[in-house]
Amino acid sequence: MTAGTDNKQDKETSMEHTAEAVAPAPLARSAPSAASACWRRLMVCVVEVPAALIVLAEILLLGGGAFARYALHQPVPWTDELAGILFLWLAMLGAIIALDRGSHMQLTTFIKNLPPARRAWVDALGMWLVVAFLSLLLRPAWEHLAEHLEVSTPTLEISEGYRAAAVLAGVVLMLVAATLRLLSAHWKPVAATGLMVALCGGLLWLLSPALMTLGNVNLVIFFLLMLVACVAIGVPIAFAFGLATLCYLSLSTATPLSIIPNRMQEGMSHLILLAVPLFVFLGALIEMTGLARAMIHFLVSLIGHLRGGLQYVLLGAMYIVSGISGAKAADMAAVAPSLFPEMKRRGAKDGDLIGLLSASGAMSETIPPSIVLITVGSVTGVSITSLFIGGLMPAAVGLVMMSLVVWFQTRKEDMSRVPRPSRSAIVKALLVALPALALPVIIRTAVVEGVATATEVSTIGIFYAVVAGVLVYRQFDWRRIYPMLLGTAALSGAILLIVGCATAMAWALTQSGFAQDLVEILSAVPGGKTGFLLVSALAFVMLGSLLEGIPAIVLFGPLLFPIAKLVGVHEVHYAMVVIFAMGLGLFAPPFGVGFYAACAIGRVSPDVAMPKVWPHMAALLVALVLLTLVPWFSTGFL
């Protein structure tokens, strides 16, 4: 196993490649202008530094609140309220950073291979659509702020305007960031696509009286044709959701548009979602402090000498590490660079390694404390504790199925030159790894035993990781803290803006009567609850590949979970089926973005890896069928 500086550099390089794989390609830019330089200074002072400070403040607020309540038995009533206000500001500031960095979630499958000249036109068109959405949202955001200025918060007794102002500030600054990206690009595609967007917008406005008479046909126009077209050309998913919703409400209904920022704020204000940035930061900490490396070293010493031993180590490490970070790319980057070099020396093929890495990412989506589990609990009302308890066994089923594939592929591996570690070496590795291995146990036990909520427990993990890194592993680079805080804010903002826009879209779909129609259709699926589960699993495999996990869960979770309860499916069982199915779609080629992230981390061409990934995906498909047909795997320990 590679250690020390080389390993650290490998991981940082892998993460850089991952960012290239999953982030949108930037518009072709001209020379930096004075406006760009001014914007950069404004970003640092007004956006980046406050975002980093808010992440730190949230850690202290929630950690201090949990300590006061559990250890001192003196709860501080205002901590949650203040944390909620700061959280909305963090979400909007993070979304600004993500837009400025070009790291909002998007689908690039259909545009990634376009020639550079044509790609510049598509990127310009996508950015104009972002500008159009933000411009149209300005007035509703202002009206939303005005409505809340006279309302006071219940505990702090300050104006709700402090919370609502975050939405308006975020819209304004994102509009500036998007406009500057357009101004810094080549003028010809920008001018032509801008004119195209203006003409199409004007035409839709002229057709508005006719659209209002079409009824639910507008759902097809705006939520199928427009939304799919926007996603296909690479418009970030959050903005595609928001633009489709805004156009639908403004052009085909009489609904006041201030409902959009109101629903966005409501979607992003669930305090349980505050776990998203905190677990993202915790994931970065366990990599930086050496906890992840200690876990892997112990697993290698334990079973690395067996046939397929390192493959089993990779699966075991992903099972342990996954769920702590907010991004599967971070999970994979914490594990793969330490194992791939030795696995290749033992004769493993590049394609097989990427197939295993991709499938392990899909397998681990249900492992607590998963961001997807937290999101499901937030948008559907399912108990987070029940989801955390129910999530371990489904991942274990996937682990067993994938282990069978590894056994078959490595049954003839030559291990004669691989030394077997002594018992004392294994014990020493275990003692070194114990503080690291204790972290997932502490996190999950604290939630299950009621010591802390799913939001607060992340702060326990953060304080534990800091202490372990400084005192035990003596590996703590203070210079990396600020970039980690900014990365946390950007990733959290990208996730939470999707949650906000998807919440507004789900509300619009519900008000249109679509939810009732969906209930009638799915309730009539042949096969009762088994048929409903199979249809749901297939649907979320497709949704996971096209929309990624969180957008699919936020958009369709509130619609489908009540139907599942209506047909007699246990809510935790249903959650595990759809999350596992979504993970399978997220990491399955040719559309799943997780597959390309794994290729970037492993530095393997997708063309080489794609033919080798299918045995692992087939194993996960078998696991998904078992989870669907056997509820005990999800509910047996509740």
Side-chain angles (χ1 to χ4, degrees):
M1 182 180 71
T2 307
T5 305
D6 292 338
N7 191 26
K8 176 181 170 182
Q9 290 172 346
D10 285 342
K11 289 183 179 180
E12 291 173 348
T13 304
S14 296
M15 287 305 295
E16 290 170 5
H17 282 274
T18 303
E20 293 172 5
V22 298
L27 290 166
R29 300 195 178 196
S30 57
S33 63
S36 297
C38 181
W39 168 248
R40 175 45 47 201
R41 291 193 294 270
L42 182 68
M43 273 289 295
V44 172
C45 297
V46 178
V47 178
E48 293 183 353
V49 170
L53 292 176
I54 289 175
V55 175
L56 288 176
E58 297 285 26
I59 294 170
L60 296 175
L61 274 173
L62 291 177
F67 180 78
R69 186 186 67 251
Y70 185 77
L72 304 180
H73 304 290
Q74 294 181 341
V76 183
W78 52 265
T79 54
D80 284 354
E81 192 169 282
L82 179 58
I85 295 173
L86 292 177
F87 177 49
L88 190 60
W89 277 97
L90 174 61
M92 299 310 298
L93 294 177
I96 300 164
I97 298 171
L99 183 61
D100 186 64
R101 294 181 173 187
S103 56
H104 274 283
M105 296 180 187
Q106 67 167 161
L107 180 70
T108 60
T109 302
F110 302 109
I111 63 174
K112 65 182 184 339
N113 294 323
L114 290 176
R118 189 172 299 176
R119 178 67 184 271
W121 285 74
V122 175
D123 287 341
L125 175 60
M127 193 53 58
W128 269 118
L129 292 173
V130 171
V131 168
F133 166 64
L134 294 170
S135 300
L136 293 171
L137 194 59
L138 272 176
R139 183 173 177 178
W142 172 259
E143 294 172 351
H144 172 68
L145 172 60
E147 292 170 359
H148 287 78
L149 284 175
E150 302 301 323
V151 181
S152 297
T153 61
T155 304
L156 293 174
E157 297 184 350
I158 60 176
S159 172
E160 280 285 354
Y162 287 107
R163 191 195 308 267
V167 178
L168 178 61
V171 170
V172 170
L173 290 174
M174 279 191 285
L175 180 58
V176 174
T179 303
L180 285 176
R181 291 191 68 188
L182 285 171
L183 292 177
S184 63
H186 296 307
W187 69 271
K188 188 178 291 185
V190 170
T193 54
L195 180 61
M196 184 190 310
V197 170
L199 291 174
C200 290
L203 178 62
L204 284 173
W205 181 76
L206 292 174
L207 292 174
S208 178
L211 291 172
M212 288 195 175
T213 65
L214 296 180
N216 282 351
V217 174
N218 289 303
L219 298 178
V220 176
I221 295 173
F222 293 104
F223 294 127
L224 183 61
L225 299 179
M226 177 182 284
L227 180 60
V228 169
C230 288
V231 172
I233 65 170
V235 176
I237 291 173
F239 298 99
F241 282 179
L243 182 62
T245 305
L246 191 148
C247 289
Y248 168 74
L249 292 178
S250 62
L251 297 173
S252 65
T253 74
T255 305
L257 293 184
S258 60
I259 195 68
I260 295 179
N262 186 46
R263 292 292 146 177
M264 288 175 61
Q265 176 178 314
E266 180 182 338
M268 293 186 289
S269 294
H270 290 291
L271 197 60
I272 189 64
L273 289 176
L274 186 50
V276 172
L278 300 185
F279 276 119
V280 170
F281 185 66
L282 176 58
L285 272 180
I286 66 170
E287 184 275 321
M288 187 261 281
T289 54
L291 271 71
R293 189 155 52 252
M295 297 179 197
I296 294 169
H297 181 64
F298 166 64
L299 292 175
V300 170
S301 68
L302 188 65
I303 60 175
H305 59 281
L306 304 175
R307 286 191 177 94
L310 294 185
Q311 282 87 336
Y312 296 127
V313 168
L314 188 148
L315 292 175
M318 286 295 291
Y319 191 96
I320 294 172
V321 172
S322 284
I324 297 177
S325 167
K328 285 300 162 200
D331 294 337
M332 293 186 293
V335 173
S338 300
L339 294 173
F340 273 20
E342 180 61 25
M343 293 168 81
K344 290 178 181 179
R345 280 194 289 271
R346 295 188 184 185
K349 305 298 183 183
D350 286 344
D352 291 331
L353 294 180
I354 298 304
L356 185 66
L357 184 61
S358 296
S360 67
M363 163 207 77
S364 57
E365 287 285 8
T366 66
I367 298 175
S370 163
I371 298 301
V372 178
L373 288 178
I374 293 168
T375 305
V376 167
S378 171
V379 301
T380 66
V382 181
S383 165
I384 297 291
T385 301
S386 297
L387 291 172
F388 276 19
I389 295 172
L392 291 170
M393 185 58 70
V397 173
L399 180 66
V400 171
M401 292 297 105
M402 290 172 55
S403 297
L404 292 176
V405 175
V406 169
W407 171 82
F408 182 80
Q409 291 180 335
T410 61
R411 67 191 186 282
K412 296 181 181 179
E413 186 177 7
D414 181 12
M415 304 298 294
S416 58
R417 298 183 180 180
V418 178
R420 180 169 185 168
S422 64
R423 186 171 299 177
S424 60
I426 295 175
V427 172
K428 181 179 179 181
L430 173 61
L431 293 176
V432 172
L434 273 178
L437 293 170
L439 175 58
V441 176
I442 290 171
I443 289 175
R444 288 152 190 160
T445 302
V447 174
V448 173
E449 297 298 325
V451 175
T453 66
T455 304
E456 296 168 339
V457 75
S458 54
T459 63
I460 296 175
I462 289 170
F463 292 132
Y464 180 89
V466 170
V467 172
V470 173
L471 301 181
V472 179
Y473 297 106
R474 298 184 180 181
Q475 183 177 327
F476 199 92
D477 188 352
W478 292 98
R479 294 169 299 179
R480 294 179 60 186
I481 294 298
Y482 181 68
M484 286 163 52
L485 291 171
L486 290 185
T488 296
L491 179 58
S492 303
I495 292 172
L496 294 168
L497 188 63
I498 288 176
V499 172
C501 291
T503 300
M505 185 174 170
W507 179 87
L509 287 170
T510 302
Q511 296 301 307
S512 71
F514 173 77
Q516 290 80 2
D517 295 339
L518 189 64
V519 169
E520 293 179 6
I521 293 171
L522 292 180
S523 298
V525 169
K529 65 180 182 180
T530 302
F532 172 74
L533 281 168
L534 291 172
V535 169
S536 296
L538 178 61
F540 271 92
V541 168
M542 295 186 291
L543 290 170
S545 66
L546 295 175
L547 292 180
E548 299 194 38
I550 290 176
I553 290 293
V554 174
L555 184 57
F556 291 99
L559 301 177
L560 294 179
F561 271 75
I563 304 176
K565 188 174 182 180
L566 188 65
V567 299
V569 179
H570 194 287
E571 56 189 7
V572 175
H573 178 209
Y574 189 65
M576 297 307 143
V577 170
V578 299
I579 292 173
F580 202 95
M582 175 272 300
L584 179 58
L586 179 62
F587 284 87
F591 299 128
V593 69
F595 168 74
Y596 297 103
C599 291
I601 290 170
R603 304 181 191 180
V604 176
S605 168
D607 296 331
V608 174
M610 197 172 297
K612 301 291 187 179
V613 76
W614 300 115
H616 304 283
M617 290 297 152
L620 290 182
L621 183 60
V622 173
L624 176 59
V625 172
L626 289 174
L627 294 177
T628 303
L629 299 179
V630 185
W632 181 86
F633 288 130
S634 303
T635 61
F637 295 98
L638 296 181

